[in-house]
Amino acid sequence: MASLSDANNAATPLPLARTPLFEHAVALKARMTAFSGWEMPVQYVGIAQEHQAVRQQAGMFDISHMGKFVLKGHQVIEQLQRLVPSDLARLQPGAAQYTVLLTPEAGIVDDLIVYYQGEDAAGQPTVVLIVNAGTTLKDKTWLTEHLDLDQVDFQDLSTEKALIAVQGPQAIACLQSVVEADLSAVKPFGHLVAPVLGQLGFLARTGYTGEDGFEVMVDAAAGVELWRSLLAAGVTPCGLGCRDTLRLEAAMALYGQDIDEATTPLEAGLGWLVHLDTKGDFIGRSVLEQQKQAGVQRRLVGLRMAGRNIARHGYPVVHEGQMVGEVTSGSWSPTLEQAIALAYVPVALSKVGQQLNVEIRGKLYSGQVVKRPFYRRQASL
């Protein structure tokens, strides 16, 4: 997703778009901000409290601002195969793949999730794509320019649908009461279409917090009803602020900060989604093959800072008096009670245990390269 800080600093055209849940955020006295052209809640009762609600109980996020595309056609998987480094041919109906769109230089146009639904009632293979809010128009342009639209029907449902993420240890139990399907039977990164409060919805066991849960896409009116029902059930409304601290603890990439068109998946530690051995040609393949063979020059690493010194986006990383890299994301971790960060550094300085410094307001503060993710939830019994 796009950077919160970049969105605030950019000249955002007015009026800002509003999701179907905007009035409910206002009614709950959420603090609002401009974000990727949308007016979105940063927090309701407080970032730390909302963060802990997701880690310990259940929280819900209005993510209706994200891009939502539906692609149909007998060649839809084959068409998408040429645009991503992941092997989509292995997807079975009801499964999904986190992946990236690439430039010819293997830079990341955006990260997204591809949900393969199998064939619809008319026998058309169907794919749902969820993309970042700040890159929705860019992604739509990229996709429509590189897909054969005589073979693939492209639908943009970005402004038509509500999208709500319900995350946390109690998320599935809270959501189950309004869904007419056994959610516990859905595997991680699985998805299905099922009645939600009596109306068909798209439910995916995915998320951006490091916790279990579902993302639910429904019509706008149904989204309002679902939000009200979950609120009545005690699910905590959460804003963009804790969404950022949660995803950072889980070391999930933020588009526009940790990854962009100047970074490749191999540099960003996303080599697990590059399937060179099992698929044919795709945009950016030759560059990734060269990087795989020669090795990358830099790598995205996790840093644990000493004390309460927070390394923010853009701060220099210093080693032996020389600037060697830059922080891409940084925050205080409410769960770990530590300052954590992500940064690109030379491969020689990327090993776990490496001591580095970060320049914060003109002074150097020590940090150590640690294993990612910073936080990993315990598997349920």
Side-chain angles (χ1 to χ4, degrees), residues 18 71 81 83 87 123 136 145 165 170 338-339 354 363 369:
R18 293 174 173 176
L71 282 62
Q81 281 278 67
L83 308 186
D87 188 1
T136 299
E145 287 179 349
Q170 299 173 15
Q338 295 174 337
Q354 174 70 51
K363 296 182 179 180
V369 175

Side-chain angles (χ1 to χ4, degrees), residues 16-81:
L16 295 171
R18 293 174 173 176
T19 78
L21 298 170
F22 172 81
E23 297 296 341
H24 295 273
V26 172
L28 290 170
K29 296 181 170 33
R31 200 180 94 202
M32 310 299 289
T33 191
F35 179 77
S36 297
W38 294 79
E39 192 168 4
M40 298 294 294
V42 175
Q43 63 182 53
Y44 290 82
V45 295
I47 292 175
Q49 188 172 336
E50 293 164 28
H51 182 110
Q52 296 299 358
V54 174
R55 286 282 181 253
Q56 298 171 9
Q57 293 95 30
M60 59 182 177
F61 301 81
D62 176 13
I63 54 172
S64 305
H65 60 315
M66 297 188 75
K68 315 166 195 72
F69 306 142
V70 177
L71 282 62
K72 295 185 179 185
H74 290 292
Q75 296 295 314
V76 64
I77 292 294
E78 291 80 359
Q79 293 274 322
L80 286 171
Q81 281 278 67

Side-chain angles (χ1 to χ4, degrees), residues 212-224:
D212 199 1
F214 275 80
E215 294 170 307
V216 186
M217 183 168 64
V218 290
D219 291 339
V224 172

